[in-house]
């Protein structure tokens, strides 16, 4: 049994050692029992006496060995061994006295070690009790308990025989005192043993064996007290003492109990009753004595009662003290909780199922901007109004449905002053917990974090400069609008907008000024659209607008773009200069196949078309534009290599004197011999070249080539006389300060006389930036070249402008010439333009003369010079040369003069 109990405790070497140890002890116990038997057979014989002493002495030896081998606290074992040894010493002294004196006295020196052995055992038990893990002050309770039991036991003993013995005045005082000490020590020992047994939840090991041994002694003592002097009985008493000594010695070989935790004593009426109960015992004893007809000794009873009252008082005081301590602990916990709550940024609410606050929550009131307002009994909604009531109700309902579960949620609310806030909450339904009986809500202010989050999201979807939605968000909104389109008969539209000449602003005023201009444009765009429409900046100077569902989307989009272009007309002040900016707008309408990407691409294509037809306009997308856009993209890519791969050529259209057909000069017209697309006319690629900046090297090449060709013809055909060469220059070229340099180089390289070179530019080029243009024209004139206004009449030119730009030639646009259809009804505009030219003293060239009637009318109106298919199409250099040689020959053949 020992073995199984031990093997359950651990494993390995210590168990084996311990097992053998216990086995040795049991062996010895068996031998001891045999010796005890020998003593019983003939107690008074020498054999009997010696076997008694052998058992007693060996018990003390065994006890010391056991104590020495003990694991852990050895004090208990040593005290037990001391007790057993003292007892054995008493036995030896007593036996010696018996041998020496034949009949030893009732009281002798042997009583000293005997009595001391009780003290040693009591000390061992106290040590055992003190090893128990007690709550604060509980060991004192143990001592009081021990005292109470001791007094009661003593009282019973007193009644049984001790009283008579002690009060027997015929006996010497010393004897009476010694006799009184035995029951007194017994009482203490009994009390301690009971207390030890009561502390152990499961009796095992040392304490059981010890208790058994001590009980043997106590029973023997008790029997001795009650039935003293009976010789036969005394052999049985000897047996009790011997057995006791053996068991006590054996107990030292037992593993000491793991120090058990003291049982929690409940501070209730029960413990008060238990503390008072012993007070009844003296009364009961007196009653029994009275029933037996005895006279109980009142002094002893009174003494016992006084002692018990004192002890009960101590016990009561201790109960009161622990009660007070418990209260204090509770108060301190409450103070702790409220201090934590008061100094935490979180507010804690306890709500009932109807959302009524059941606690004082100053934090909560303060959090929501009304620090003084009482919370207990108030509705939570009185403090904070959720923006989404349905959502907050749902969260509360969820918590109510799942008691004990933690729910976390964030709500946007308005506080009592209507300020918006974000509250982070944590809800637990503890309605079923009787100590709480509410839904506990932890609340903290999440406003700052939420705002920061929103800011991050805003940054991710907005343009940092203008604050407008960015491309990602815009695409998303277009997608949503298309979704809605599918459910309604209405349609959305996208406007794509690109500022004209923004690069110029950036270049001349710097990026900061450019940024300010972009912000101003953003502001104007926003004021030109409806509230539900989305304006975005796609990057650079590109903007887009989403017009939500409309039943007449085209009209509305055009109306919006008209408003936008109108609003942009108002000049913006930048660096104390007024800058006017225009924009080109492309419009795309959603249809059933549209996607966000296709709609934005279509609007982009339409915008390019708008730029191409002349800036500051809006164009509605048509499917044909898509192919044009694809082609345009290709052209853009290929044009980069056109020059280096020698794909550019010049065609020459003669300028003739209509009267005679004499060629006075040529206009150089650019052609691109594209390897796959064939010969491309300039309007297919010049705008692209302008946009990409390639116009600079291309224009330089045209100038050089045209001058070279003119110079060559003049050298080869001296009869051609003062043959002129007209070269077209674009707006970008006029704006660039390298133009003058390029012209000078071309003239110098070719050796052409400056007066033979005519530079043509349109009115629009001139009025876009009048000051630069005027300055540039001045520089060019200083080189000696002549200047022509191309496509005259199509721009906004006014007389004053023409005066400002001192030019030499006006080229009346083909569209006016085309209006001349019969010889009688001359269109007034044509007459007006011709008059204007004459008034300014300019040379006039009519463009696009295709029919004889046009030639006649123009001649009749005093316009001598013209170009047109009627005379010649633009020709290759060799054809032009042939034509030139031919006219020269025929002119030579016609006799002049
Ligand atoms: P533009 O300066 O007005 O050139 C005259 C255009 O009218 C030429 O078109 C010519 O072929 C065409 N044309 C001449 N006579 C007639 C006629 O009787 N009927 C009709 N219907 N058309 C006629 P092209 O060659 O296609 O040139 C178009 C424009 O391209 C030119 O208009 C000019 O503005 C520009 N361009 C041509 N070459 C260059 C160049 O080297 N540099 C620059 N910057 N622009 C150029
Ligand atoms: Ca021209
Ligand atoms: Ca022209």
């Amino acid at each position: 049994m020992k073995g199984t109990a031990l093997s359950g405790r651990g494993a390995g070497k210590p168990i084996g050692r311990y097992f053998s140890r216990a086995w040795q002890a049991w062996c010895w116990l068996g031998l001891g029992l045999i010796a005890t038997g020998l003593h019983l057979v003939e107690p008074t014989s020498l054999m009997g006496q010696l076997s008694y002493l052998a058992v007693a002495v060996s018990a003390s030896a065994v006890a010391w060995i056991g104590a020495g081998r003990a694991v852990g606290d050895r004090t208990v074992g040593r005290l037990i061994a001391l007790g057993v040894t003292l007892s054995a010493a008493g036995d030896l002294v007593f036996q010696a006295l018996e041998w020496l004196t034949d009949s030893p006295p009732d009281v002798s020196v042997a009583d000293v070690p005997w009595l001391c052995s009780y003290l040693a055992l009591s000390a061992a038990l106290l040590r055992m009790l003190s090893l128990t893990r007690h709550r604060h002050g509980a060991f004192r309770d143990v001592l009081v308990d021990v005292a109470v039991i001791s007094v009661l036991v003593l009282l019973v003993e007193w009644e049984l025989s001790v009283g008579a013995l002690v009060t027997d005045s015929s006996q010497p005082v010393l004897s009476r005192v010694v006799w009184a000490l035995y029951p007194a020590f017994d009482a203490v020992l009994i009390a301690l043993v009971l207390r030890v047994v009561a502390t152990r939840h499961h009796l095992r090991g040392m304490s059981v064996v010890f208790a058994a041994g001590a009980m043997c002694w106590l029973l023997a003592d008790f029997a001795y007290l009650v039935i003293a002097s009976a010789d036969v009985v005394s052999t049985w008493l000897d047996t009790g003492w011997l057995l006791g000594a053996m068991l006590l010695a054996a107990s030292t070989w037992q593993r000491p109990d793991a120090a058990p935790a003291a049982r929690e004593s409940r501070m209730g009426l029960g413990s008060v009753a238990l503390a008072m109960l012993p007070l009844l015992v003296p009364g009961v004893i007196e009653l029994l004595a009275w029933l037996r007809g005895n006279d109980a000794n009142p002094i002893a009873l009174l003494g016992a009662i006084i002692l018990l009252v004192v002890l009960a008082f101590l016990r009561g005081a201790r109960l009161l003290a622990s009660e007070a301590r418990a209260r204090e602990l509770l108060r301190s916990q409450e103070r702790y909780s409220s201090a934590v709550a008061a100094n935490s940024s979180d507010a804690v609410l306890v709500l009932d199922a109807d959302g009524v606050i059941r606690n004082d929550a100053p934090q909560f009131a303060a959090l929501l901007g009304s620090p003084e307002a009482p919370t207990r009994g108030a509705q939570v909604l009185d403090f904070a109004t959720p923006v989404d009531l349905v959502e907050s109700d749902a969260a509360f309902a969820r918590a109510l449905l799942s008691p004990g579960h933690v729910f976390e949620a964030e709500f946007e609310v308005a506080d009592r002053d209507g300020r918006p806030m974000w509250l982070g909450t944590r809800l637990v339904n503890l309605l079923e917990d009787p100590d709480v009986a509410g839904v506990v809500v932890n609340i903290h202010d999440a406003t700052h974090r939420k705002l920061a989050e929103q800011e991050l999201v805003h940054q991710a979807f907005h343009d940092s400069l203008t604050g407008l939605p960015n491309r990602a968000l815009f695409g998303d909104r277009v997608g949503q609008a298309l979704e809605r389109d599918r459910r309604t008969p209405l349609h959305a539209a996208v406007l794509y907008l690109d500022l004209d000449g923004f690069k110029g602003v950036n270049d001349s005023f710097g990026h900061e000024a450019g940024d300010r201009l972009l912000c101003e444009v953003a502001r104007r765009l926003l004021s030109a659209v409806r509230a539900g429409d989305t304006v975005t900046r796609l990057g650079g100077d590109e903007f887009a607008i989403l017009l939500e569902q409309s039943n007449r989307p085209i009209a509305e989009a055009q109306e919006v773009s008209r408003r936008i272009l109108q609003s942009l007309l108002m000049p913006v002040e930048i660096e104390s200069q007024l800058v006017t900016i225009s924009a080109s707008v492309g419009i795309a309408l959603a249809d059933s196949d549209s996607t966000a990407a296709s709609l934005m691409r279509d609007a982009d294509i339409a915008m390019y078309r708008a730029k191409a037809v002349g800036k500051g306009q809006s164009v509605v997308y048509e499917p044909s534009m898509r192919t044009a856009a694809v082609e345009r993209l290709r052209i853009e890519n290929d044009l980069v290599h056109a020059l280096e791969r020698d794909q550019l050529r010049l065609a020459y259209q003669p300028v003739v004197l209509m009267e005679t057909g004499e060629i006075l000069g040529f206009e150089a017209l650019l052609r691109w011999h594209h390897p796959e697309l064939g010969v491309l006319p300039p309007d297919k690629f010049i705008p692209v070249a302008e946009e990409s900046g390639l116009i600079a090297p291309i224009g330089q090449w045209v100038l050089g080539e045209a001058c070279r060709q003119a110079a060559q013809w003049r050298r080869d055909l001296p009869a051609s006389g003062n043959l002129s060469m007209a070269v077209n220059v674009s707006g970008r070229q006029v704006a660039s300060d390298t133009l003058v340099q390029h012209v000078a180089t071309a003239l110098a390289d070719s050796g052409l006389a400056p007066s033979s070179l005519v530079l043509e530019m349109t009115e629009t080029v001139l009025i876009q930036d009048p000051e630069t243009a005027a300055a540039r024209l001045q520089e060019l004139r200083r080189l000696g070249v002549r200047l022509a206004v191309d496509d005259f009449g199509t721009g906004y030119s006014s007389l004053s402008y023409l005066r400002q730009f001192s030019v030499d030639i006006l080229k009346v646009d083909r569209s006016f010439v085309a209006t001349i259809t019969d010889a009688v009804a001359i269109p007034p505009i044509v007459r007006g333009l011709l008059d204007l030219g004459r008034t300014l003293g300019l040379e006039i060239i009519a463009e696009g003369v295709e029919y004889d009637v046009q030639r006649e009318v123009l001649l009749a109106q005093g316009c001598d010079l013209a170009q047109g298919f009627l005379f010649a199409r633009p020709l290759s250099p060799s054809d032009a040369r042939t034509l030139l040689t031919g006219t020269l020959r025929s002119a030579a053949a016609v006799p002049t003069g």
Side-chain angles (χ1 to χ4, degrees), residues 667 728 760 790-792 811-814 847:
E667 177 178 2
N728 296 284
E760 298 187 1
D790 208 350
D791 303 347
F792 184 66
K811 297 186 77 169
V812 176
D813 192 66
R814 194 166 74 225
E847 291 188 299

Side-chain angles (χ1 to χ4, degrees), residues 594-607:
S594 298
T595 62
S598 77
L599 199 57
M600 285 169 76
R601 186 195 56 213
D602 292 350
D604 188 19
I605 289 170
M607 185 275 290

Side-chain angles (χ1 to χ4, degrees), residues 502-840:
F502 175 72
K503 200 180 170 298
V505 174
N506 247 354
D507 290 349
S508 30
F509 298 105
H511 284 279
E512 248 171 68
D515 285 354
R516 256 185 293 139
L517 180 65
L518 289 174
C519 290
E520 175 60 21
V521 169
R523 208 182 53 73
R524 293 188 189 182
L525 292 182
L526 282 173
S527 60
V529 300
R530 293 176 304 188
D533 300 334
T534 306
V535 177
T536 176
R537 176 167 168 247
L538 299 170
D541 59 347
E542 284 184 21
F543 294 83
I545 297 162
L546 168 67
L547 300 179
E548 297 279 349
Q549 279 72 11
S550 161
N551 52 0
R552 35 179 215 104
I554 296 194
E556 189 152 324
Q558 284 175 326
E559 171 59 23
V560 169
S561 51
R562 196 195 55 75
R563 274 207 302 273
I564 289 171
L565 294 176
Q566 186 76 37
S567 78
L568 290 181
L569 278 182
M570 205 163 62
V572 183
E573 193 182 313
I574 291 176
E575 310 273 316
S576 70
Q577 285 200 47
L578 288 178
V579 175
T580 311
I581 194 127
S582 70
S584 302
V585 182
I587 300 169
L589 303 172
D591 59 30
S592 51
D593 300 331
S594 298
T595 62
S598 77
L599 199 57
M600 285 169 76
R601 186 195 56 213
D602 292 350
D604 188 19
I605 289 170
M607 185 275 290
Y608 266 99
R609 177 55 61 93
K611 268 214 183 320
V613 296
K615 312 184 166 175
Q617 301 193 38
S618 71
V619 165
V620 179
Y621 171 80
E622 281 159 32
S624 65
M625 291 179 193
R626 190 172 296 177
T627 30
V630 172
E631 194 177 89
R632 183 196 149 92
L633 197 69
R634 167 143 196 217
I635 285 172
E636 207 173 290
N637 291 334
D638 292 353
L639 190 61
V640 180
H641 312 289
L643 253 186
E644 67 197 44
R645 292 181 185 161
D646 195 24
Q647 293 167 352
L648 298 183
R649 292 284 179 277
L650 287 180
Y652 300 95
Q653 186 179 38
V655 179
V656 300
L657 193 58
M658 281 191 280
E659 191 67 63
T660 60
E662 187 190 339
I663 296 176
L664 299 182
F666 288 93
E667 177 178 2
L669 294 162
L670 188 56
R671 300 289 178 262
W672 178 10
H673 291 245
H674 191 283
E676 282 136 38
L677 300 175
V679 180
L680 296 176
D683 43 3
K684 278 259 193 280
F685 62 93
I686 292 284
V688 179
E690 280 242 319
E691 194 80 23
S692 64
L694 280 171
I695 193 71
I698 291 176
Q700 190 182 4
W701 177 84
V702 172
L703 273 170
E705 178 62 15
C707 290
R708 190 197 57 75
Q709 186 65 73
Q712 188 184 352
W713 284 333
R714 286 183 65 158
R715 270 197 305 277
D716 295 355
L717 311 160
S720 63
N722 211 2
L723 194 72
S724 69
M725 181 59 79
V727 172
N728 296 284
V729 287
S730 73
R732 188 86 184 246
Q733 283 176 283
V734 173
S736 148
D737 26 65
T738 54
L739 177 65
V740 181
Q741 184 58 47
H742 290 167
V743 172
T745 313
L747 289 172
D749 288 356
S750 61
L752 187 71
S755 60
S756 299
L757 182 63
V758 177
L759 297 180
E760 298 187 1
M761 49 207 83
T762 61
E763 294 165 274
T764 8
V765 165
L766 296 179
I767 59 165
Q768 239 166 36
D769 183 0
E771 270 133 66
T772 316
R776 190 78 69 232
L777 297 197
Q778 277 305 309
E779 293 174 85
L780 292 169
R781 281 183 80 87
R782 250 178 261 132
L783 287 179
V785 300
R786 291 188 297 154
L787 303 172
V789 177
D790 208 350
D791 303 347
F792 184 66
T794 54
Y796 332 85
S797 300
S798 62
L799 203 62
S800 59
Y801 266 127
L802 284 180
R803 281 195 208 285
Q804 184 182 339
F805 309 114
S806 41
V807 292
D808 310 273
I809 303 163
L810 278 188
K811 297 186 77 169
V812 176
D813 192 66
R814 194 166 74 225
S815 54
F816 300 109
V817 175
T819 58
I820 307 171
T821 48
D822 70 72
V824 194
I826 303 152
I829 180 84
V830 175
R831 195 181 286 165
L833 287 172
L834 297 177
D835 281 348
L836 179 62
R838 264 194 298 274
T839 321
L840 292 169

Side-chain angles (χ1 to χ4, degrees), residues 216-267:
C216 285
W217 273 17
L218 290 168
L219 283 173
D221 282 357
F222 209 60
Y224 181 78
L225 264 182
V226 180
I227 35 177
S229 76
D231 277 348
V232 185
V233 177
S234 85
T235 56
W236 288 103
L237 301 187
D238 286 349
T239 311
W241 281 315
L242 284 182
L243 265 180
M246 284 193 294
L247 285 171
L248 288 171
S251 76
T252 62
W253 287 66
Q254 303 298 312
R255 180 182 282 275
D257 303 1
R263 260 180 281 190
E264 274 298 314
S265 57
R266 282 266 180 80
M267 242 77 74

Side-chain angles (χ1 to χ4, degrees), residues 326-339:
R327 266 188 227 284
E328 179 50 36
L329 192 70
L330 202 70
R331 257 203 303 280
S332 129
Q333 272 166 355
E334 270 173 7
R335 273 200 306 275
Y336 174 80
S337 309
S338 57

Side-chain angles (χ1 to χ4, degrees), residues 143-156 187 191 272-286 299-317:
L143 295 184
V144 171
D145 286 348
V146 168
V148 168
I149 303 170
S150 305
V151 169
L152 291 177
V153 171
L154 204 56
L155 197 61
V156 172
V272 175
L274 211 66
M276 294 300 156
L277 206 62
L279 292 174
L280 288 175
V281 175
V284 171
I285 285 175
E286 197 170 14
I299 297 169
L301 276 178
L302 186 68
I305 289 174
I306 290 172
L307 251 175
L308 287 173
V309 166
V310 168
L311 290 170
F313 173 79
L314 284 176
R315 197 74 159 100

